[in-house]
Amino acid sequence: MDRYAVIGNPIAHSKSPRIHTLFAAQTGQALSYEALLAPLDAFVATVEAFRAAGGRGLNVTVPFKLEAFDFADRHTPRALAAGAVNTLAFGPDGVLGDNTDGAGILRDITVNLGCPVAGRRVLLLGAGGAARGTILPLLDAQPASLTIANRTAVKAAELADEFSTGPLRPLGCGFADLAGQDFDVVINATSASLSDAAPDLPAGLYAPGSLAYDMMYGKGDTPFMRAAREQGAARLADGLGMLVEQAAESFLLWRDVRPATAPVLAELRAAL
Ligand code: ATR
């Protein structure tokens, strides 16, 4: 049986084994998927041991996505743009590093939530790894504009510069600079929810009909979602759909079959 796993530290909480086991059952793929705890100083050794034992691929989570990037022999364009790898595929011609996070959120927003990005004004909050991984897929979706705003403004400006090679140039700014503007899609890629906070944003950012999307998720609404509701966002979503969709993209890369995500998302939602 082909072996896969998610590697991280900590890892016991990961929902990936459940998600991929459901995908495998649904698509009739014979595979096993486990959770692999790597010591903080032994990512490469743990990966090599898994591969030597017949492992075919890995999902990679905190804190190893940069080490996974360095470990890969080849990268997909979206992994290169993200500068981080969440999916490794072991093949006869070496280790391929991919990043499915950005594709996952785009698919959740456009397909699951039925909210188009093309032609819309998009605001991305944050300038860390989570934000970075989303920029190329967002630009590929051809929004009317992409604004990257961060608590530390200079980091957003640097990130916008870095992604200014194509026809649509993102704008980078601080939160206060957003005053007086409004957006159709607002994505929270900050880690503020981890400290039970929402980014400190000016009022009036949400255009009529707009979507507020938090990459984080939890049992109920996240602090960002609560703030967005108060600020008049028409639609709210958390990142559970992104989690399932990035897993589906990894599954597709490994197995060449795209699983249906709706039943898996429903089961995870019910279990929260
Ligand atoms: P990740 O990999 O999850 O993106 P990260 O690279 O550490 O994590 O980045 C965290 C992001 O969340 C940063 O954009 C950070 O803003 P700063 O660059 O100003 O530090 C943002 N962030 C964290 N806590 C925040 C808060 N309470 N309000 C607003 N932004 C916050």
Side-chain angles (χ1 to χ4, degrees), residues 126-130 150-152 155 175 190-192 199:
N150 194 45
R151 181 175 61 182
T152 311
K155 285 206 243 167
F175 292 156
T190 75
S191 52

Side-chain angles (χ1 to χ4, degrees), residues 131-232:
R132 172 184 289 273
T134 308
I135 298 173
L136 184 66
L138 274 176
L139 290 173
D140 284 347
Q142 299 190 299
S145 63
L146 174 61
T147 303
I148 305 166
N150 194 45
R151 181 175 61 182
T152 311
V154 63
K155 285 206 243 167
E158 284 168 6
L159 205 49
D161 272 355
E162 199 181 315
F163 283 87
S164 284
T165 52
L168 178 65
R169 289 164 180 254
L171 304 165
C173 64
F175 292 156
D177 303 316
L178 297 170
Q181 303 182 54
D182 64 348
F183 299 90
D184 306 302
V185 179
V186 179
I187 298 169
N188 181 28
T190 75
S191 52
S193 291
L194 290 180
S195 42
D196 203 28
D200 187 15
L201 301 170
L205 293 182
Y206 292 96
S210 59
L211 169 70
Y213 190 103
D214 198 346
M215 287 198 192
M216 302 270 168
Y217 63 86
K219 190 167 162 52
D221 286 352
T222 64
F224 169 75
M225 290 164 72
R226 286 197 294 275
R229 177 181 283 117
E230 278 169 23
Q231 286 294 322

Side-chain angles (χ1 to χ4, degrees), residues 51-77:
R51 190 181 180 195
R56 297 285 304 273
L58 286 167
N59 282 129
V60 182
T61 187
V62 178
F64 297 125
K65 290 185 184 184
L66 299 180
E67 279 183 80
F69 185 92
D70 293 338
F71 182 78
D73 302 314
R74 294 177 297 122
H75 302 86
T76 60

